[in-house]
Amino acid sequence: MQEAAGPEAEPFPQERPTRRVLRQETLLVLALSLGASAVSALISFVGSVTKPGGLKDQAATLNASAAPGRPWLDLAWQLFGITTALVPVALVAHFLLREGQSLRTLGFDRTRPWPDLGRGAAIAAVIGSTGIAFYLAARGLGFNLTVVPEALPGVWWKYPVLILSAVQNAVLEEVIVVGYLLRRLGRLGWTPGTALAASSVLRGSYHLYQGIGGFIGNMVMGVVFVLLYRRWGRVGPLVVAHSLLDIGAFVGYALLAGKVGWLPTA
């Protein structure tokens, strides 16, 4: 006689997520990633503006040593941090998979490598030059901290880790703040303009630790990236552009700090 299947054998119900479920899912993804970073940046900013002295006399260090004087342990911590920072992207992929979609839905795949690379490089060239000028101006006016893109020891893994860190930042931010967030806000009934504002303000918010200049500059960049995403339907070029911008900032600072007069150092 065949035994009856237990409750654990029942098929998973294929139901369209309700708005409440989508809202909760979105909040959880942000709470585990860039939403939490925005709160952290706000607290850091409050600490900076209430500290005696001007903002430009303070420093915001991005890639610092996690274990000074112990390079192998330091490397382990660096790789651990880069890997775990990408877990929210895996979570987004999981949620999309449950809908029968994938990260390809957001245009994050290898189906169009050359157009993505070309467009990304063009974006980086335009934003990179204007971004440097804006940062220097904002710092000179006292609206920005001195940004120290890297403070890693001079060991063999320094530049590979800086490149990996740059790519991690790009993947995390563009997949979540542009592709995923805009898709979810659209499903929740937000207008295109409101969704653009939310994405851009969020991008600026988690850069507040750099000061007002970092907030405004990244918010403007967020507007440009959302408009380009809507035009192309792909986050791929944005990931390329963001990777190149951060690689230029991290590696460029490592090579030029203390050697050129126009680059501020802590």
Side-chain angles (χ1 to χ4, degrees):
M1 181 178 179
Q2 185 177 6
E3 295 183 2
E8 66 276 8
E10 294 179 2
F12 187 82
Q14 299 294 325
E15 298 179 357
R16 183 181 177 87
T18 64
R19 284 194 174 188
R20 180 181 178 184
V21 170
L22 291 177
R23 188 180 301 111
Q24 291 174 342
E25 172 198 303
T26 305
L27 290 174
L28 285 172
V29 169
L30 293 178
L32 291 171
S33 58
L34 297 166
S37 297
V39 176
S40 174
L42 175 60
I43 296 172
S44 177
F45 175 70
V46 172
S48 296
V49 296
T50 55
K51 184 177 180 179
L55 289 180
K56 68 178 181 180
D57 297 324
Q58 303 175 49
T61 304
L62 306 188
N63 294 283
S65 175
R70 306 182 66 183
W72 286 105
L73 181 62
D74 200 347
L75 175 60
W77 278 118
Q78 299 294 337
L79 296 178
F80 173 78
I82 291 170
T83 303
T84 54
L86 290 173
V87 171
V89 177
L91 184 60
V92 165
H94 169 73
F95 285 137
L96 291 173
L97 186 62
R98 292 180 61 178
E99 299 177 20
Q101 306 293 330
S102 68
L103 291 177
R104 178 175 294 184
T105 308
L106 309 180
F108 185 58
D109 54 36
R110 295 178 294 177
T111 58
R112 303 182 62 188
W114 296 116
D116 287 352
L117 286 171
R119 289 171 172 174
I123 298 168
V126 174
I127 292 182
S129 56
T130 56
I132 292 173
F134 182 79
Y135 161 68
L136 294 175
R139 181 183 176 277
L141 292 171
F143 296 148
N144 224 73
L145 284 77
T146 298
V147 178
V148 180
E150 71 87 23
L152 295 177
V155 293
W156 65 269
W157 50 259
K158 175 176 181 172
Y159 292 105
V161 162
L162 289 176
I163 293 171
L164 288 175
S165 178
V167 173
Q168 171 255 299
N169 289 340
V171 172
L172 177 68
E173 294 186 37
E174 305 315 325
V175 168
I176 291 182
V177 178
V178 178
Y180 171 76
L181 186 59
L182 291 180
R183 179 179 174 83
R184 282 293 178 260
L185 294 182
R187 292 278 300 274
L188 290 170
W190 289 43
T191 65
T194 306
L196 180 150
S199 174
S200 303
V201 170
L202 175 59
R203 186 188 294 268
S205 297
Y206 57 77
H207 287 94
L208 255 178
Y209 67 90
Q210 299 177 9
I212 295 295
F215 172 78
I216 295 175
N218 281 279
M219 188 170 63
V220 172
M221 175 176 158
V223 172
V224 173
F225 274 27
V226 168
L227 294 177
L228 292 176
Y229 172 70
R230 287 177 173 165
R231 180 180 180 86
W232 296 329
R234 297 183 58 78
V235 298
L238 309 183
V239 170
V240 171
H242 196 149
S243 297
L244 293 175
L245 288 170
D246 279 8
I247 289 172
F250 298 168
V251 175
Y253 184 89
L255 295 174
L256 298 177
K259 299 178 181 178
V260 293
W262 57 266
L263 182 62
T265 57

